[in-house]
Amino acid sequence: MITKKSLFVVFTFIFGFGIQAQKFEELALTPPMGWNSWNKFACDINEEMIRGIADAMVESGMKEAGYKYIVIDDCWHGRRDSFGFIYPDSTRFPNGMKALADYVHSKGLKLGIYSDAGTETCAGYPGSRGYEYQDALQYAKWGIDYLKYDWCNTENINPVGAYTTMRDALYKAGRPVVFSMCEWGNNEPWKWAEDIAHLWRTTGDIFICWDCKHEHEGGWYSWGVMKILDMQEGLRKYAGPGHWNDPDMLEVGNGMSVNEDRAHFSMWAMLAAPLIAGNDLRNMSEETIEILTNEEVIAVDQDSLGVQGFKYSSKDSLETWFKPLDNNEWAVCFLNRRAEPAVVEFDWENENVVDEIFGYEAKFNEITYAIRNLWTRKNIGKTKRAFKATVPSHDVIMLRLKPLK
Ligand code: GLA
């Protein structure tokens, strides 16, 4: 018998009514890794440079280490055509985005792009407001795999609505895209964006310095690495596989000391942060390559448990951080924020390391762990004996603990 209900089911099937838009699941089960043009190049971008970066990502060993997305930030835009479809600037991208995506894909990498929920991007190019579905279709046609979506020029817009609209537009366009929200933590996205985006910025922009506050014209600020680190307080409970806190892109290789770069990279790994390099990959020092491709540190970031680390203790600017890992392992990082070296003494069996939010416990009294130093890449004993070492200024000692059977 043909009932009303069966007719509805048939219609729904044929016409796709009721297909709920959602975010693409399974795309970022570990924090995304890649490169973005903004930190080093700002608006000075073009297709030849992006191709060179893709080549360098492969040649430097970064692809092998897990980096995948090449993301073109602000300023790629040209005009909209008379139907409203967006095109790249034809001087900077003479062969168009499809050709560039094909090239990046031919290297086994993925291409990302940038837009803004408002009328204009932060640099004054066309924003997606009112063009969300058209832009998402255009990106899908080009073969875009990642979208960073900014929050400039959004006066009177509701953030949950704006980001949901773009999420739905991407979903309807049909090509899986990692959706990276960039509203600087203004509206506490960690509380509402789990089903909208794969990652959300938690702060304003990072700045290439250890602990400074940099004032821009117009009265806004960018933040040094330690300032950004401190702003992550209280956010770890909101992150997990498929939905990450994003403390902004890396400044490794952009001018801080090697110690500072190492500490920055290590702490981002402890935070399970997206690892998006922001330097010129075509021109890197040995030290920068060594930091960005340390696969043992990257493994801490990319651990499948997906639990963000926490500050266990802090004394006189010497901090001890722990991160629970899969298989009952732990990462430990001693971070020296002082201007001089610091001696760390850590007697495991006297410490009660408990992750109160996710319920992990190290139980150093009952379990002995083997210790590996992730930067010297040496096995350095067991947790039966207290650990004693000197941490250079603005640097870390990062360890991985593995329970002994
Ligand atoms: C904002 C973002 C940055 C970058 C610029 C581009 O400031 O937070 O990461 O995308 O816009 O204009």
Side-chain angles (χ1 to χ4, degrees):
M1 197 177 68
I2 299 174
T3 62
K4 261 194 197 160
K5 192 170 173 214
S6 59
L7 273 177
F8 177 76
V9 169
V10 170
F11 265 80
T12 306
F13 184 73
I14 296 172
F15 297 108
F17 296 141
I19 291 181
Q20 200 65 41
Q22 56 183 65
K23 90 180 193 196
F24 289 99
E25 299 295 345
E26 315 287 314
L27 274 190
L29 295 180
T30 61
M33 292 176 66
W35 174 90
N36 174 299
S37 52
W38 185 256
N39 281 359
K40 175 74 185 176
F41 298 98
C43 283
D44 190 12
I45 53 173
N46 62 65
E47 65 177 45
E48 198 191 319
M49 183 266 265
I50 300 291
R51 282 169 189 247
I53 293 286
D55 295 344
M57 188 176 272
V58 176
E59 282 154 21
S60 63
M62 284 179 69
K63 180 188 169 205
E64 178 85 26
Y67 295 83
K68 190 153 78 176
Y69 295 98
I70 304 268
V71 183
I72 308 170
D73 207 284
D74 208 346
C75 308
W76 59 266
H77 316 68
R79 291 167 183 274
R80 293 188 182 279
D81 68 12
S82 58
F83 298 105
F85 287 101
I86 187 77
Y87 285 87
D89 180 297
S90 58
T91 319
R92 289 182 171 156
F93 297 88
N95 293 296
M97 282 297 173
K98 172 82 172 70
L100 188 53
D102 287 348
Y103 184 79
V104 169
H105 292 153
S106 78
K107 297 257 146 186
L109 299 168
K110 293 186 174 287
L111 188 64
I113 214 166
Y114 160 101
S115 189
D116 187 290
T119 47
E120 285 183 358
T121 70
C122 297
Y125 291 89
S128 289
R129 183 176 186 184
Y131 295 92
E132 293 87 351
Y133 281 74
Q134 267 181 294
D135 285 356
L137 272 179
Q138 191 74 319
Y139 305 156
K141 276 210 243 163
W142 290 339
I144 298 295
D145 310 290
Y146 184 114
L147 176 65
K148 172 175 170 183
Y149 204 49
D150 216 337
W151 191 240
C152 277
N153 306 301
T154 52
E155 288 70 24
N156 303 321
I157 303 185
N158 172 308
V160 182
Y163 281 99
T164 305
T165 300
M166 192 39 122
R167 175 202 71 176
D168 292 354
L170 293 169
Y171 194 78
K172 292 280 179 171
R175 184 182 172 87
V177 169
V178 171
F179 191 30
S180 157
M181 281 177 45
C182 178
E183 61 73 80
W184 320 304
N186 288 6
N187 301 282
E188 304 188 309
W190 42 87
K191 292 190 176 158
W192 48 266
E194 178 174 344
D195 294 329
I196 298 176
H198 301 95
L199 58 159
W200 49 76
R201 281 274 296 277
T202 54
T203 69
D205 292 1
I206 196 168
F207 196 74
I208 321 166
C209 64
W210 180 246
D211 199 14
C212 70
K213 175 176 171 183
H214 179 80
E215 182 165 6
H216 296 265
E217 246 177 69
W220 60 284
Y221 297 95
S222 298
W223 310 95
V225 173
M226 290 298 109
K227 293 268 186 295
I228 297 234
L229 179 65
D230 291 341
M231 292 176 198
Q232 309 310 309
E233 182 100 40
L235 302 186
R236 65 186 293 267
K237 68 175 172 206
Y238 299 104
H243 51 103
W244 307 101
N245 288 318
D246 175 7
D248 206 3
M249 306 169 292
L250 297 165
E251 291 285 15
V252 173
N254 279 343
M256 289 188 296
S257 71
V258 173
N259 307 47
E260 290 171 341
D261 275 357
R262 181 167 41 237
H264 172 27
F265 193 71
S266 304
M267 291 315 301
W268 262 229
M270 292 301 286
L271 292 173
L275 297 179
I276 308 290
N279 57 316
D280 187 350
L281 307 188
R282 300 164 307 175
N283 185 13
M284 291 192 274
S285 68
E286 284 297 315
E287 288 96 339
T288 297
I289 297 180
E290 203 185 307
I291 291 171
L292 289 174
T293 61
N294 183 321
E295 72 278 2
E296 298 194 41
V297 173
I298 291 173
V300 168
D301 179 79
Q302 296 287 303
D303 184 78
S304 59
L305 205 56
V307 173
Q308 185 171 327
F310 58 93
K311 186 166 34 177
Y312 169 71
S313 64
S314 171
K315 197 168 173 260
D316 304 332
S317 298
L318 178 65
E319 298 181 357
T320 302
W321 288 69
F322 275 81
K323 180 182 194 283
L325 304 176
D326 199 13
N327 288 323
N328 302 314
E329 297 186 33
W330 289 84
V332 188
C333 200
F334 300 105
L335 166 67
N336 178 12
R337 301 173 66 145
R338 292 182 211 160
E340 61 282 336
V343 173
V344 46
E345 280 192 76
F346 200 82
D347 193 357
W348 310 96
E349 296 191 344
N350 290 332
E351 304 287 344
N352 185 25
V353 176
V354 178
D355 173 352
E356 274 160 14
I357 290 175
F358 292 99
Y360 296 97
E361 281 181 60
K363 294 188 182 154
F364 290 119
N365 284 323
E366 294 169 30
I367 306 170
T368 302
Y369 294 80
I371 309 175
R372 180 158 174 89
N373 183 321
L374 302 186
W375 286 109
T376 62
R377 297 169 186 254
K378 289 204 171 98
N379 299 325
I380 56 162
K382 298 178 189 148
T383 51
K384 279 261 158 233
R385 274 184 37 201
F387 177 76
K388 191 169 175 197
T390 301
V391 193
S393 164
H394 295 185
D395 204 339
V396 291
I397 291 179
M398 190 170 177
L399 309 174
R400 185 175 180 120
L401 311 181
K402 195 176 180 152
L404 291 166
K405 292 280 164 336

